[in-house]
Amino acid sequence: MSLSQRLNENMKQAMRDKDKERLNVIRMVKASLQNEAIKLGVSDLSEEDELTILSRELKQRNDSLNEFKAAGRDDLVMKIETEIKILQDYMPEQLSEEELEQIVKDTILEVNATSKKEFGKVMGKVMPKVKGKADGSSVQKLVQKLLNE
């Protein structure tokens, strides 16, 4: 089942259950998907495009969460945390630390990276491999750590 179909089914269920928070998040994601499809000039997005949009939505909420925590806005922190949990239901299963480290090590060997100067080259190869399955900031920290060794 595609992401769009899952969203439609879950939206109907959220309406039946009168789950306003889930319904709002699903509607926001559907709007983002539709806007991206219009921007790209296609009727259906590829699975990769859908994953990119979901990742972007999740990143925006994580950034907001950090800002709200710093500002002491507990009311908004709870709301954003709920939205993050809902969005994570649609994300693929995340890679474990060991799996991620192995992918990064393999990629470093693949591009023959030996110093920090080749950070961009390594990141450029790693990110498509872990798209949606790992957070970019954790990948960045791991690549930096492994290139410094």
Side-chain angles (χ1 to χ4, degrees):
M1 184 184 300
S2 76
L3 177 63
S4 298
Q5 291 169 328
R6 279 182 58 202
L7 286 169
N8 285 332
E9 290 300 315
N10 291 348
M11 187 168 79
K12 290 175 190 173
Q13 189 60 46
M15 285 179 187
R16 284 186 212 115
D17 296 343
K18 295 183 178 19
D19 186 348
K20 289 182 181 181
E21 287 180 347
R22 181 171 292 278
L23 185 60
N24 286 336
V25 172
I26 292 171
R27 284 180 173 158
M28 281 189 276
V29 172
K30 284 179 62 71
S32 294
L33 291 170
Q34 191 171 17
N35 288 339
E36 190 71 17
I38 291 168
K39 187 173 109 180
L40 296 175
V42 296
S43 58
D44 290 326
L45 292 171
S46 69
E47 197 173 310
E48 188 175 315
D49 290 336
E50 291 176 341
L51 194 56
T52 300
I53 294 162
L54 266 179
S55 297
R56 186 183 323 140
E57 291 289 322
L58 198 55
K59 183 179 182 335
Q60 286 174 350
R61 285 178 179 70
N62 281 321
D63 291 345
S64 296
L65 181 64
N66 292 334
E67 290 176 25
F68 291 148
K69 281 183 178 177
R73 295 292 310 268
D74 295 334
D75 54 330
L76 295 174
V77 167
M78 288 174 38
K79 180 181 184 291
I80 293 292
E81 284 175 341
T82 304
E83 289 181 10
I84 289 171
K85 285 178 188 164
I86 293 168
L87 281 173
Q88 286 174 335
D89 291 344
Y90 298 101
M91 295 294 289
E93 191 173 323
Q94 299 295 294
L95 294 170
S96 70
E97 281 289 321
E98 295 81 28
E99 293 170 319
L100 182 59
E101 188 169 339
Q102 189 58 50
I103 290 171
V104 171
K105 284 179 179 177
D106 292 345
T107 305
I108 289 173
L109 291 174
E110 179 185 323
V111 298
N112 296 322
T114 55
S115 69
K116 293 189 272 190
K117 295 177 185 172
E118 296 166 298
F119 173 80
K121 195 188 306 184
V122 174
M123 284 297 289
K125 290 278 189 180
V126 170
M127 288 313 290
K129 294 177 184 178
V130 300
K131 188 173 202 124
K133 298 177 187 171
D135 179 47
S137 61
S138 59
V139 173
Q140 177 187 0
K141 289 174 188 168
L142 187 57
V143 169
Q144 287 175 339
K145 179 182 138 197
L146 292 173
L147 285 177
N148 285 334
E149 291 178 349

